[in-house]
Amino acid sequence: MGLDIEVISPRDLPSLHPFVRSEGVEAAIRIGDDRYFDPAQVAVGFATAAAERGAYVYPNTQVLAVEIDGTRVTGVSTTKGYIRAPVVVDAAGAWTRTIAERSGLQVPLVSTRQQLMVTEEIPGALKDLPMVRIMDAAVYMRPCLGGFLWGVYEEHPRFFDMGSWEADFDINNMPLDRSVLDAAAADVVNQLPILSTAAIREFRGGLPTMTADGHHILGPSPDAPGFFFASGCNVAGLSIAPALGEKLARWIVDGRPPMDLSCMAPARFSGRSWTDEDLQRDAAWQYRHFYGAV
Ligand SMILES: Cc1cc2nc3c(=O)[nH]c(=O)nc-3n(C[C@H](O)[C@H](O)[C@H](O)COP(=O)(O)OP(=O)(O)OC[C@H]3O[C@@H](n4cnc5c(N)ncnc54)[C@H](O)[C@@H]3O)c2cc1C
């Protein structure tokens, strides 16, 4: 696919990254095109660019429900009034399901806790060091604010029913579990010893959405013309969002996707039912195997 990728000897790891040890590593890959960025700036960047192109942006405005007349979408009611709209995209992240269910639509995704730590400054933790992913342990680490940001795709992820939380929910109030990260640091102590010793500046989490088959949920709802989904990010929404946004826009305007996106289409769930238990079991498997390894 034209990416800058090569298999390297595990012995060469410390020369690429002085905080990585080769001990116990059986195979290593260098990915020259890997990048990291500040996620908060992504949303701000998209919103600013949309406004510059004529979109109306209403910050701090809650969508209460998507209005459906018969089966067709007619608009959204918000905390700042009603907006008439023949097309609505439910891209409410962890709240996608809550919004859909208020309109009587089912969508199989689960809001999943993803925790991370940011260390205090560490001499030598330069911002241009590569990201590190230890596939078998599902642990990742990248430079951040003069130290490192790191996290793990935990084996038994915690899911949240967003509908049961107050409307003024703040992500900073989400319950965290430090023991998960301590166990992950112990798991990779031979490869990333810094994780077990560095002082912690910040411990926080977010709520990406997981699906049972690991694919996004993108496209029209088969049950309500005008109702589109852009969700089920499976912890990869930042990297793929520009491409998905572009494809969904074409799908809405042209009435069909510009390429085969059936693996992401909500129609793949038509005629199927699922229990929360099954959904969470399969979503947990997808989450833990995000890097493909065991
Ligand atoms: C710790 C962590 C690490 C991650 N690492 C990566 C990574 O390396 N690469 C990657 O690609 N992705 C990564 N992700 C995933 C990425 O952050 C998500 O895929 C992405 O944020 C999902 O975007 P979204 O627009 O679907 O949802 P969100 O970013 O959650 O946006 C949904 C928005 O909808 C708003 N909303 C909700 N309900 C309502 C309502 N009723 N009315 C109005 N607005 C509402 C919310 O306030 C929010 O602003 C990571 C996530 C976490 C938590």
Side-chain angles (χ1 to χ4, degrees):
M1 300 177 84
L3 296 174
D4 173 19
I5 294 182
E6 61 172 339
V7 175
I8 59 170
S9 163
R11 280 197 311 276
D12 295 338
L13 286 172
S15 62
L16 284 175
H17 197 307
F19 291 86
V20 181
R21 305 275 172 271
S22 310
E23 195 184 327
V25 179
E26 299 205 358
I29 300 173
R30 184 193 65 81
I31 306 176
D33 294 315
D34 226 354
R35 294 286 180 274
Y36 69 88
F37 49 81
D38 175 6
Q41 292 303 317
V42 176
V44 173
F46 278 136
T48 307
E52 281 168 6
R53 284 161 179 74
Y56 293 95
V57 179
Y58 296 95
N60 303 314
T61 307
Q62 202 191 335
V63 170
L64 301 170
V66 179
E67 306 293 341
I68 296 177
D69 182 10
T71 58
R72 239 220 106 82
V73 166
T74 52
V76 284
S77 51
T78 78
T79 44
K80 293 192 185 149
Y82 179 74
I83 301 171
R84 202 156 51 85
V87 170
V88 172
V89 179
D90 181 352
W95 290 266
T96 303
R97 192 168 152 179
T98 314
I99 298 281
E101 284 174 358
R102 280 185 201 156
S103 304
L105 303 175
Q106 301 300 314
V107 60
L109 52 79
V110 277
S111 306
T112 310
R113 183 180 64 190
Q114 167 99 349
Q115 309 183 99
L116 63 83
M117 280 184 176
V118 181
T119 71
E120 294 285 4
E121 283 188 32
I122 297 169
L126 305 176
K127 63 180 181 203
D128 54 358
L129 284 177
M131 285 191 65
V132 180
R133 299 189 176 94
I134 302 193
M135 316 295 267
D136 286 332
V139 168
Y140 64 92
M141 180 182 95
R142 67 149 165 99
C144 182
L145 303 170
F148 291 112
L149 178 155
W150 71 279
V152 59
Y153 294 86
E154 53 190 276
E155 190 139 15
H156 304 291
R158 179 143 179 216
F159 304 114
F160 289 102
D161 171 9
M162 306 309 291
S164 66
W165 288 7
E166 301 295 322
D168 61 353
F169 164 79
D170 185 319
I171 194 71
N172 294 318
N173 298 333
M174 181 175 70
L176 299 173
D177 179 1
R178 184 172 168 150
S179 69
V180 171
L181 285 116
D182 289 341
D187 239 7
V188 297
V189 69
N190 291 333
Q191 294 78 39
L192 293 173
I194 190 71
L195 299 188
S196 298
T197 55
I200 302 307
R201 175 204 300 252
E202 201 183 347
F203 174 33
R204 61 182 154 89
L207 281 167
T209 45
M210 296 301 301
T211 61
D213 59 9
H215 288 295
H216 291 62
I217 298 183
L218 184 83
S221 161
D223 302 317
F227 197 115
F228 286 73
F229 287 103
S231 194
C233 71
N234 287 277
V235 212
L238 292 170
S239 19
I240 205 172
L244 293 192
E246 196 179 72
K247 302 297 175 230
L248 184 63
R250 286 256 59 92
W251 202 337
I252 292 169
V253 171
D254 298 342
R256 61 180 185 284
M259 57 190 285
D260 181 10
L261 293 171
S262 51
C263 69
M264 298 188 185
R268 71 188 190 273
F269 307 115
S270 286
R272 290 172 50 187
S273 61
W274 53 86
T275 62
D276 267 339
E277 205 177 35
D278 289 347
L279 181 56
Q280 291 186 5
R281 184 199 58 227
D282 294 348
W285 191 94
Q286 296 293 344
Y287 181 80
R288 176 60 180 172
H289 295 83
F290 183 75
Y291 287 150
V294 176

